Amino acid sequence: TQLLEQSPQFLSIQEGENLTVYCNSSSVFSSLQWYRQEPGEGPVLLVTVVTGGEVKKLKRLTFQFGDARKDSSLHITAAQPGDTGLYLCAGDGYGQNFVFGPGTRLSVLP
Amino acid sequence: DAMVIQNPRYQVTQFGKPVTLSCSQTLNHNVMYWYQQKSSQAPKLLFHYYDKDFNNEADTPDNFQSRRPNTSFCFLDIRSPGLGDAAMYLCATSRDRGMTGELFFGEGSRLTVL
């Protein structure tokens, strides 16, 4: 069974601070996705990374896929209260179903 | 406009009283999934349909059943809900299996068991 771990589990920061959250596995994934889930809503896709070492930017969010395709990071610059939510990583194990990590719950205080 | 619609958003039932949750999609996607998400945990896949082909996860209890009468609709039936089945149930779709596309989630149905 392929497992994804995420750290930290909880993160509370002040508006304007930078942060990085991590998604790690001992398994290789063909691709990895990051979702954000707000309370009472379903997850919404932020990005898909496919190539080892790939870096993608989405405004203040920077996503990186590890060279070995076993890990990924999400860096947020100058966090805003609107960034508050549960950040989930999900991996595709070469044709198997999506595997989700447990998530990082981010709270950005004004 | 919402593309994956779940009903009801909130469902309260009594211990042992059957419940049906519904999901409809306007995306014409081949794959529909049902996930269970408990507080502060990752979504856990219960089963999925690839077109009409039903795929059950090995650890999904028999208490959970699903139906997909056509491309647009999928139902989750919980035959005898227990207290441990209280959770958010998420329906999702994808054009195909694999991660080259994305999962489109509904807003979820939150089940409370009294």
PDB file of all heavy atoms in Angstrom, chain A residues 98, chain B residues 3-4 23-27 29-33 68 91-96 102-106:
ATOM      1  N   PHE A  98      -5.929   7.305  -6.861  1.00  0.00           N
ATOM      2  CA  PHE A  98      -5.364   8.421  -6.118  1.00  0.00           C
ATOM      3  C   PHE A  98      -5.187   8.027  -4.649  1.00  0.00           C
ATOM      4  O   PHE A  98      -6.085   7.487  -4.039  1.00  0.00           O
ATOM      5  CB  PHE A  98      -6.310   9.616  -6.166  1.00  0.00           C
ATOM      6  CG  PHE A  98      -6.583  10.143  -7.545  1.00  0.00           C
ATOM      7  CD1 PHE A  98      -7.440   9.489  -8.409  1.00  0.00           C
ATOM      8  CD2 PHE A  98      -6.000  11.326  -7.969  1.00  0.00           C
ATOM      9  CE1 PHE A  98      -7.696   9.990  -9.671  1.00  0.00           C
ATOM     10  CE2 PHE A  98      -6.269  11.835  -9.228  1.00  0.00           C
ATOM     11  CZ  PHE A  98      -7.111  11.166 -10.080  1.00  0.00           C
TER      12      PHE A  98
ATOM     13  N   MET B   3     -20.429  21.564 -11.008  1.00  0.00           N
ATOM     14  CA  MET B   3     -20.296  20.502 -11.979  1.00  0.00           C
ATOM     15  C   MET B   3     -20.510  19.140 -11.338  1.00  0.00           C
ATOM     16  O   MET B   3     -20.849  18.185 -12.021  1.00  0.00           O
ATOM     17  CB  MET B   3     -18.922  20.597 -12.625  1.00  0.00           C
ATOM     18  CG  MET B   3     -18.757  21.878 -13.442  1.00  0.00           C
ATOM     19  SD  MET B   3     -17.103  22.059 -14.123  1.00  0.00           S
ATOM     20  CE  MET B   3     -16.174  22.503 -12.675  1.00  0.00           C
ATOM     21  N   VAL B   4     -20.251  19.039 -10.040  1.00  0.00           N
ATOM     22  CA  VAL B   4     -20.507  17.820  -9.282  1.00  0.00           C
ATOM     23  C   VAL B   4     -21.395  18.234  -8.108  1.00  0.00           C
ATOM     24  O   VAL B   4     -20.982  19.032  -7.278  1.00  0.00           O
ATOM     25  CB  VAL B   4     -19.204  17.174  -8.775  1.00  0.00           C
ATOM     26  CG1 VAL B   4     -19.515  15.891  -8.011  1.00  0.00           C
ATOM     27  CG2 VAL B   4     -18.257  16.890  -9.937  1.00  0.00           C
ATOM     28  N   CYS B  23     -25.164  11.779  -5.996  1.00  0.00           N
ATOM     29  CA  CYS B  23     -24.164  12.594  -6.664  1.00  0.00           C
ATOM     30  C   CYS B  23     -24.511  12.659  -8.140  1.00  0.00           C
ATOM     31  O   CYS B  23     -24.797  11.620  -8.756  1.00  0.00           O
ATOM     32  CB  CYS B  23     -22.775  11.979  -6.481  1.00  0.00           C
ATOM     33  SG  CYS B  23     -21.453  12.869  -7.327  1.00  0.00           S
ATOM     34  N   SER B  24     -24.500  13.857  -8.685  1.00  0.00           N
ATOM     35  CA  SER B  24     -24.716  13.997 -10.122  1.00  0.00           C
ATOM     36  C   SER B  24     -23.599  14.852 -10.709  1.00  0.00           C
ATOM     37  O   SER B  24     -23.042  15.715 -10.030  1.00  0.00           O
ATOM     38  CB  SER B  24     -26.084  14.624 -10.412  1.00  0.00           C
ATOM     39  OG  SER B  24     -26.133  15.941  -9.908  1.00  0.00           O
ATOM     40  N   GLN B  25     -23.283  14.613 -11.983  1.00  0.00           N
ATOM     41  CA  GLN B  25     -22.206  15.357 -12.631  1.00  0.00           C
ATOM     42  C   GLN B  25     -22.628  15.782 -14.032  1.00  0.00           C
ATOM     43  O   GLN B  25     -23.340  15.057 -14.724  1.00  0.00           O
ATOM     44  CB  GLN B  25     -20.937  14.503 -12.689  1.00  0.00           C
ATOM     45  CG  GLN B  25     -21.117  13.163 -13.371  1.00  0.00           C
ATOM     46  CD  GLN B  25     -20.080  12.875 -14.433  1.00  0.00           C
ATOM     47  OE1 GLN B  25     -19.425  13.771 -14.964  1.00  0.00           O
ATOM     48  NE2 GLN B  25     -19.912  11.600 -14.770  1.00  0.00           N
ATOM     49  N   THR B  26     -22.165  16.966 -14.403  1.00  0.00           N
ATOM     50  CA  THR B  26     -22.469  17.502 -15.733  1.00  0.00           C
ATOM     51  C   THR B  26     -21.237  17.464 -16.636  1.00  0.00           C
ATOM     52  O   THR B  26     -21.241  18.046 -17.711  1.00  0.00           O
ATOM     53  CB  THR B  26     -22.976  18.944 -15.617  1.00  0.00           C
ATOM     54  OG1 THR B  26     -21.954  19.745 -15.007  1.00  0.00           O
ATOM     55  CG2 THR B  26     -24.244  19.014 -14.801  1.00  0.00           C
ATOM     56  N   LEU B  27     -20.183  16.775 -16.191  1.00  0.00           N
ATOM     57  CA  LEU B  27     -18.917  16.781 -16.917  1.00  0.00           C
ATOM     58  C   LEU B  27     -18.799  15.638 -17.915  1.00  0.00           C
ATOM     59  O   LEU B  27     -17.846  15.594 -18.686  1.00  0.00           O
ATOM     60  CB  LEU B  27     -17.760  16.692 -15.906  1.00  0.00           C
ATOM     61  CG  LEU B  27     -17.680  17.867 -14.932  1.00  0.00           C
ATOM     62  CD1 LEU B  27     -16.805  17.516 -13.738  1.00  0.00           C
ATOM     63  CD2 LEU B  27     -17.143  19.097 -15.635  1.00  0.00           C
ATOM     64  N   HIS B  29     -17.885  12.702 -17.261  1.00  0.00           N
ATOM     65  CA  HIS B  29     -16.670  11.969 -16.938  1.00  0.00           C
ATOM     66  C   HIS B  29     -16.947  10.478 -16.793  1.00  0.00           C
ATOM     67  O   HIS B  29     -18.023  10.066 -16.344  1.00  0.00           O
ATOM     68  CB  HIS B  29     -16.051  12.507 -15.646  1.00  0.00           C
ATOM     69  CG  HIS B  29     -15.280  13.765 -15.854  1.00  0.00           C
ATOM     70  ND1 HIS B  29     -14.759  14.503 -14.804  1.00  0.00           N
ATOM     71  CD2 HIS B  29     -14.920  14.427 -16.972  1.00  0.00           C
ATOM     72  CE1 HIS B  29     -14.118  15.547 -15.286  1.00  0.00           C
ATOM     73  NE2 HIS B  29     -14.212  15.525 -16.594  1.00  0.00           N
ATOM     74  N   ASN B  30     -15.926   9.701 -17.136  1.00  0.00           N
ATOM     75  CA  ASN B  30     -16.084   8.247 -17.091  1.00  0.00           C
ATOM     76  C   ASN B  30     -16.072   7.694 -15.669  1.00  0.00           C
ATOM     77  O   ASN B  30     -16.696   6.678 -15.395  1.00  0.00           O
ATOM     78  CB  ASN B  30     -14.948   7.569 -17.869  1.00  0.00           C
ATOM     79  CG  ASN B  30     -15.113   7.729 -19.372  1.00  0.00           C
ATOM     80  OD1 ASN B  30     -16.225   7.700 -19.871  1.00  0.00           O
ATOM     81  ND2 ASN B  30     -14.010   7.904 -20.060  1.00  0.00           N
ATOM     82  N   VAL B  31     -15.308   8.339 -14.805  1.00  0.00           N
ATOM     83  CA  VAL B  31     -15.059   7.755 -13.485  1.00  0.00           C
ATOM     84  C   VAL B  31     -15.762   8.581 -12.411  1.00  0.00           C
ATOM     85  O   VAL B  31     -15.699   9.815 -12.417  1.00  0.00           O
ATOM     86  CB  VAL B  31     -13.552   7.691 -13.168  1.00  0.00           C
ATOM     87  CG1 VAL B  31     -13.299   6.776 -11.977  1.00  0.00           C
ATOM     88  CG2 VAL B  31     -12.765   7.208 -14.374  1.00  0.00           C
ATOM     89  N   MET B  32     -16.430   7.884 -11.527  1.00  0.00           N
ATOM     90  CA  MET B  32     -17.024   8.530 -10.353  1.00  0.00           C
ATOM     91  C   MET B  32     -16.559   7.787  -9.117  1.00  0.00           C
ATOM     92  O   MET B  32     -16.496   6.559  -9.090  1.00  0.00           O
ATOM     93  CB  MET B  32     -18.556   8.530 -10.434  1.00  0.00           C
ATOM     94  CG  MET B  32     -19.083   9.375 -11.583  1.00  0.00           C
ATOM     95  SD  MET B  32     -20.875   9.564 -11.593  1.00  0.00           S
ATOM     96  CE  MET B  32     -21.119  10.782 -10.285  1.00  0.00           C
ATOM     97  N   TYR B  33     -16.224   8.569  -8.082  1.00  0.00           N
ATOM     98  CA  TYR B  33     -15.639   8.032  -6.856  1.00  0.00           C
ATOM     99  C   TYR B  33     -16.486   8.435  -5.652  1.00  0.00           C
ATOM    100  O   TYR B  33     -17.081   9.507  -5.631  1.00  0.00           O
ATOM    101  CB  TYR B  33     -14.244   8.620  -6.607  1.00  0.00           C
ATOM    102  CG  TYR B  33     -13.252   8.500  -7.730  1.00  0.00           C
ATOM    103  CD1 TYR B  33     -13.266   9.382  -8.793  1.00  0.00           C
ATOM    104  CD2 TYR B  33     -12.246   7.538  -7.681  1.00  0.00           C
ATOM    105  CE1 TYR B  33     -12.325   9.297  -9.819  1.00  0.00           C
ATOM    106  CE2 TYR B  33     -11.290   7.447  -8.703  1.00  0.00           C
ATOM    107  CZ  TYR B  33     -11.339   8.335  -9.757  1.00  0.00           C
ATOM    108  OH  TYR B  33     -10.394   8.237 -10.754  1.00  0.00           O
ATOM    109  N   ARG B  68     -24.710   3.059  -9.938  1.00  0.00           N
ATOM    110  CA  ARG B  68     -24.513   4.086 -10.952  1.00  0.00           C
ATOM    111  C   ARG B  68     -25.458   3.758 -12.110  1.00  0.00           C
ATOM    112  O   ARG B  68     -25.092   3.054 -13.045  1.00  0.00           O
ATOM    113  CB  ARG B  68     -23.062   4.147 -11.436  1.00  0.00           C
ATOM    114  CG  ARG B  68     -22.824   5.350 -12.346  1.00  0.00           C
ATOM    115  CD  ARG B  68     -21.379   5.441 -12.805  1.00  0.00           C
ATOM    116  NE  ARG B  68     -21.151   6.681 -13.559  1.00  0.00           N
ATOM    117  CZ  ARG B  68     -20.012   6.967 -14.173  1.00  0.00           C
ATOM    118  NH1 ARG B  68     -18.984   6.126 -14.118  1.00  0.00           N
ATOM    119  NH2 ARG B  68     -19.887   8.097 -14.830  1.00  0.00           N
ATOM    120  N   CYS B  91     -18.126  12.966  -3.177  1.00  0.00           N
ATOM    121  CA  CYS B  91     -18.202  12.372  -4.501  1.00  0.00           C
ATOM    122  C   CYS B  91     -17.219  13.127  -5.393  1.00  0.00           C
ATOM    123  O   CYS B  91     -17.075  14.355  -5.274  1.00  0.00           O
ATOM    124  CB  CYS B  91     -19.621  12.505  -5.044  1.00  0.00           C
ATOM    125  SG  CYS B  91     -19.827  11.983  -6.759  1.00  0.00           S
ATOM    126  N   ALA B  92     -16.540  12.403  -6.250  1.00  0.00           N
ATOM    127  CA  ALA B  92     -15.604  13.047  -7.173  1.00  0.00           C
ATOM    128  C   ALA B  92     -15.690  12.372  -8.529  1.00  0.00           C
ATOM    129  O   ALA B  92     -16.126  11.221  -8.640  1.00  0.00           O
ATOM    130  CB  ALA B  92     -14.176  12.970  -6.640  1.00  0.00           C
ATOM    131  N   THR B  93     -15.286  13.103  -9.553  1.00  0.00           N
ATOM    132  CA  THR B  93     -15.244  12.535 -10.895  1.00  0.00           C
ATOM    133  C   THR B  93     -13.886  12.804 -11.512  1.00  0.00           C
ATOM    134  O   THR B  93     -13.176  13.725 -11.118  1.00  0.00           O
ATOM    135  CB  THR B  93     -16.325  13.139 -11.812  1.00  0.00           C
ATOM    136  OG1 THR B  93     -15.953  14.476 -12.170  1.00  0.00           O
ATOM    137  CG2 THR B  93     -17.682  13.164 -11.143  1.00  0.00           C
ATOM    138  N   SER B  94     -13.549  11.985 -12.485  1.00  0.00           N
ATOM    139  CA  SER B  94     -12.382  12.268 -13.314  1.00  0.00           C
ATOM    140  C   SER B  94     -12.664  11.745 -14.709  1.00  0.00           C
ATOM    141  O   SER B  94     -13.448  10.802 -14.890  1.00  0.00           O
ATOM    142  CB  SER B  94     -11.105  11.641 -12.750  1.00  0.00           C
ATOM    143  OG  SER B  94     -11.170  10.228 -12.738  1.00  0.00           O
ATOM    144  N   ARG B  95     -12.014  12.387 -15.686  1.00  0.00           N
ATOM    145  CA  ARG B  95     -12.256  11.989 -17.073  1.00  0.00           C
ATOM    146  C   ARG B  95     -11.848  10.533 -17.287  1.00  0.00           C
ATOM    147  O   ARG B  95     -12.526   9.771 -17.955  1.00  0.00           O
ATOM    148  CB  ARG B  95     -11.452  12.894 -18.016  1.00  0.00           C
ATOM    149  CG  ARG B  95     -11.781  12.681 -19.488  1.00  0.00           C
ATOM    150  CD  ARG B  95     -10.923  13.590 -20.350  1.00  0.00           C
ATOM    151  NE  ARG B  95     -11.024  14.982 -19.944  1.00  0.00           N
ATOM    152  CZ  ARG B  95     -12.018  15.788 -20.283  1.00  0.00           C
ATOM    153  NH1 ARG B  95     -12.977  15.360 -21.053  1.00  0.00           N
ATOM    154  NH2 ARG B  95     -12.015  17.048 -19.878  1.00  0.00           N
ATOM    155  N   ASP B  96     -10.729  10.182 -16.667  1.00  0.00           N
ATOM    156  CA  ASP B  96     -10.230   8.821 -16.799  1.00  0.00           C
ATOM    157  C   ASP B  96      -9.509   8.469 -15.519  1.00  0.00           C
ATOM    158  O   ASP B  96      -9.334   9.319 -14.648  1.00  0.00           O
ATOM    159  CB  ASP B  96      -9.293   8.713 -18.005  1.00  0.00           C
ATOM    160  CG  ASP B  96      -9.256   7.315 -18.585  1.00  0.00           C
ATOM    161  OD1 ASP B  96      -9.581   6.352 -17.862  1.00  0.00           O
ATOM    162  OD2 ASP B  96      -8.893   7.182 -19.777  1.00  0.00           O
ATOM    163  N   GLU B 102      -7.643  15.580 -13.356  1.00  0.00           N
ATOM    164  CA  GLU B 102      -7.829  15.985 -11.977  1.00  0.00           C
ATOM    165  C   GLU B 102      -9.111  15.389 -11.454  1.00  0.00           C
ATOM    166  O   GLU B 102      -9.970  14.948 -12.223  1.00  0.00           O
ATOM    167  CB  GLU B 102      -7.865  17.510 -11.842  1.00  0.00           C
ATOM    168  CG  GLU B 102      -9.107  18.164 -12.405  1.00  0.00           C
ATOM    169  CD  GLU B 102      -9.159  19.658 -12.119  1.00  0.00           C
ATOM    170  OE1 GLU B 102      -9.628  20.025 -11.023  1.00  0.00           O
ATOM    171  OE2 GLU B 102      -8.761  20.442 -12.988  1.00  0.00           O
ATOM    172  N   LEU B 103      -9.214  15.389 -10.155  1.00  0.00           N
ATOM    173  CA  LEU B 103     -10.446  14.992  -9.497  1.00  0.00           C
ATOM    174  C   LEU B 103     -11.303  16.238  -9.294  1.00  0.00           C
ATOM    175  O   LEU B 103     -10.817  17.248  -8.802  1.00  0.00           O
ATOM    176  CB  LEU B 103     -10.161  14.361  -8.134  1.00  0.00           C
ATOM    177  CG  LEU B 103      -9.605  12.946  -8.102  1.00  0.00           C
ATOM    178  CD1 LEU B 103      -9.222  12.574  -6.675  1.00  0.00           C
ATOM    179  CD2 LEU B 103     -10.604  11.961  -8.660  1.00  0.00           C
ATOM    180  N   PHE B 104     -12.550  16.163  -9.678  1.00  0.00           N
ATOM    181  CA  PHE B 104     -13.507  17.231  -9.427  1.00  0.00           C
ATOM    182  C   PHE B 104     -14.425  16.757  -8.303  1.00  0.00           C
ATOM    183  O   PHE B 104     -15.126  15.762  -8.464  1.00  0.00           O
ATOM    184  CB  PHE B 104     -14.337  17.532 -10.674  1.00  0.00           C
ATOM    185  CG  PHE B 104     -13.561  18.186 -11.776  1.00  0.00           C
ATOM    186  CD1 PHE B 104     -12.780  17.434 -12.642  1.00  0.00           C
ATOM    187  CD2 PHE B 104     -13.620  19.555 -11.963  1.00  0.00           C
ATOM    188  CE1 PHE B 104     -12.068  18.031 -13.661  1.00  0.00           C
ATOM    189  CE2 PHE B 104     -12.917  20.169 -12.985  1.00  0.00           C
ATOM    190  CZ  PHE B 104     -12.134  19.401 -13.837  1.00  0.00           C
ATOM    191  N   PHE B 105     -14.379  17.473  -7.210  1.00  0.00           N
ATOM    192  CA  PHE B 105     -15.147  17.072  -6.041  1.00  0.00           C
ATOM    193  C   PHE B 105     -16.452  17.858  -5.940  1.00  0.00           C
ATOM    194  O   PHE B 105     -16.530  19.029  -6.324  1.00  0.00           O
ATOM    195  CB  PHE B 105     -14.355  17.338  -4.766  1.00  0.00           C
ATOM    196  CG  PHE B 105     -13.284  16.322  -4.485  1.00  0.00           C
ATOM    197  CD1 PHE B 105     -12.007  16.494  -4.977  1.00  0.00           C
ATOM    198  CD2 PHE B 105     -13.567  15.204  -3.726  1.00  0.00           C
ATOM    199  CE1 PHE B 105     -11.013  15.560  -4.725  1.00  0.00           C
ATOM    200  CE2 PHE B 105     -12.581  14.261  -3.458  1.00  0.00           C
ATOM    201  CZ  PHE B 105     -11.303  14.448  -3.962  1.00  0.00           C
ATOM    202  N   GLY B 106     -17.465  17.206  -5.390  1.00  0.00           N
ATOM    203  CA  GLY B 106     -18.650  17.908  -4.953  1.00  0.00           C
ATOM    204  C   GLY B 106     -18.387  18.554  -3.609  1.00  0.00           C
ATOM    205  O   GLY B 106     -17.287  18.446  -3.040  1.00  0.00           O
TER     206      GLY B 106
END
